[in-house]
């Protein structure tokens, strides 16, 4: 019995040392549990990143080549429409033309920014390198002629050119509706069709009375 009493504390001490060593090795062998611990204060910091990038992840969702081409082509198409709208300042005379100019500026700049965000999220370049091969795009001479016009002459030229320009946009948007895979891009295409077909009709009526 005396022998047991003397050895028991030593055995317990040895067991405790082995257990401590095992725990230390487990902690050092894997840093995954440490990653889960909050060393900065709040555990919310680890979940903030996904929520803050929710819109980006949505844009970077399912997409195909048709979605990419739609955005790459519609960006410069919209940009030219904005250039045409800027020329109306100091040149346009008709109140309805001025109203359509304001509508173009209000709608198309935000759409450009939205499509740029998509392309960035998809890891694609903004330009497809084919700006002037798209339906409805104005030539340099068209833009010079529009800039040289004033009053009713400008109003007529603007209406004629914007009708052709809008028709090109509608054609591209309908292709996206048929072939696209991204829900957001197809929704924007639908909005382009709706808004620009309505403006085409209005511009046609303006031309009839000018």
């Amino acid at each position: 019995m005396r022998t047991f009493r003397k050895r028991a504390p030593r055995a317990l001490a040895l067991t405790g040392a082995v257990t401590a060593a095992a725990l230390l090795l487990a902690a050092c062998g894997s840093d995954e549990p440490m990653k889960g611990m909050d060393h900065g204060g709040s555990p919310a910091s680890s979940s903030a990143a996904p929520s803050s990038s929710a819109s980006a992840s949505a844009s970077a969702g399912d997409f195909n080549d048709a979605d990419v081409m739609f955005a790459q082509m519609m960006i410069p198409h919209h940009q030219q429409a904005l250039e045409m709208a800027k020329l109306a300042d100091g040149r346009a005379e008709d109140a309805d033309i001025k109203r359509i100019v304001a509508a173009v500026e209000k709608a198309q700049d935000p759409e450009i920014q939205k499509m740029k965000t998509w392309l960035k999220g998809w890891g694609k370049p903004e330009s497809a390198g084919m700006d002037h091969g798209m339906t409805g795009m104005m030539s340099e001479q068209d833009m010079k002629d529009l800039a040289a016009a004033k009053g009713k002459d400008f109003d007529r030229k603007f209406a004629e050119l914007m009708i052709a320009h809008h028709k090109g946009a509608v054609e591209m948007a309908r292709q996206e509706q048929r072939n696209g895979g991204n829900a957001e891009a197809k929704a924007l295409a639908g909005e382009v069709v709706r808004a620009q077909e309505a403006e085409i009709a209005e511009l046609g009526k303006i031309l009839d009375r000018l």
Side-chain angles (χ1 to χ4, degrees), residues 49-65:
S51 60
S52 64
S53 61
S55 59
S57 62
S59 298
D62 292 338
F63 69 95
N64 59 22
D65 290 344

Side-chain angles (χ1 to χ4, degrees), residues 17-31:
V18 171
T19 302
L23 289 173
L24 181 61
L25 287 172
C28 295
S30 173
D31 61 352

Side-chain angles (χ1 to χ4, degrees), residues 35-51:
K35 289 181 180 178
M37 294 175 66
D38 181 19
H39 297 282
S42 172
S45 59
S46 63
S47 60
S51 60

Side-chain angles (χ1 to χ4, degrees), residues 3-192:
T3 302
F4 176 78
R5 287 176 182 174
K6 288 181 180 179
R7 292 179 179 178
R10 184 180 298 174
L12 289 173
L14 184 59
T15 302
V18 171
T19 302
L23 289 173
L24 181 61
L25 287 172
C28 295
S30 173
D31 61 352
E32 290 304 318
M34 303 300 287
K35 289 181 180 178
M37 294 175 66
D38 181 19
H39 297 282
S42 172
S45 59
S46 63
S47 60
S51 60
S52 64
S53 61
S55 59
S57 62
S59 298
D62 292 338
F63 69 95
N64 59 22
D65 290 344
D67 300 314
V68 174
M69 183 172 290
F70 170 69
Q72 288 176 333
M73 295 178 72
M74 193 62 79
I75 287 171
H77 206 274
H78 273 15
Q79 287 171 335
Q80 189 178 67
L82 291 176
E83 290 174 12
M84 294 169 68
K86 287 179 182 177
L87 291 176
D89 187 23
R91 295 180 176 86
E93 182 179 286
D94 189 85
D96 288 334
I97 289 290
K98 292 179 180 180
R99 179 173 52 80
I100 289 178
V101 164
V104 167
E105 291 175 332
K106 182 179 180 181
Q108 298 200 20
D109 185 61
E111 290 177 353
I112 288 171
Q113 301 311 314
K114 184 180 292 187
M115 289 183 286
K116 285 183 176 181
T117 299
W118 294 344
L119 289 169
K120 184 177 180 180
W122 297 339
K124 301 295 181 180
E126 287 183 9
S127 176
M130 49 192 300
D131 297 0
H132 296 286
M134 294 178 289
T135 305
M137 288 291 282
M138 302 296 104
S139 67
E140 290 184 18
Q141 190 59 51
D142 289 330
M143 296 298 287
K144 287 179 180 179
D145 290 344
L146 185 61
K150 198 166 184 178
K152 286 188 176 180
D153 184 33
F154 176 88
D155 296 336
R156 280 191 293 268
K157 279 185 169 61
F158 180 87
E160 291 169 352
L161 294 176
M162 193 58 82
I163 286 173
H165 199 272
H166 275 7
K167 285 182 177 178
V170 169
E171 181 179 321
M172 288 191 291
R174 290 199 181 282
Q175 288 177 356
E176 168 62 15
Q177 287 180 311
R178 289 193 297 269
N179 305 319
N182 184 271
E184 289 184 63
K186 293 179 79 169
L188 178 60
E191 180 58 24
V192 168

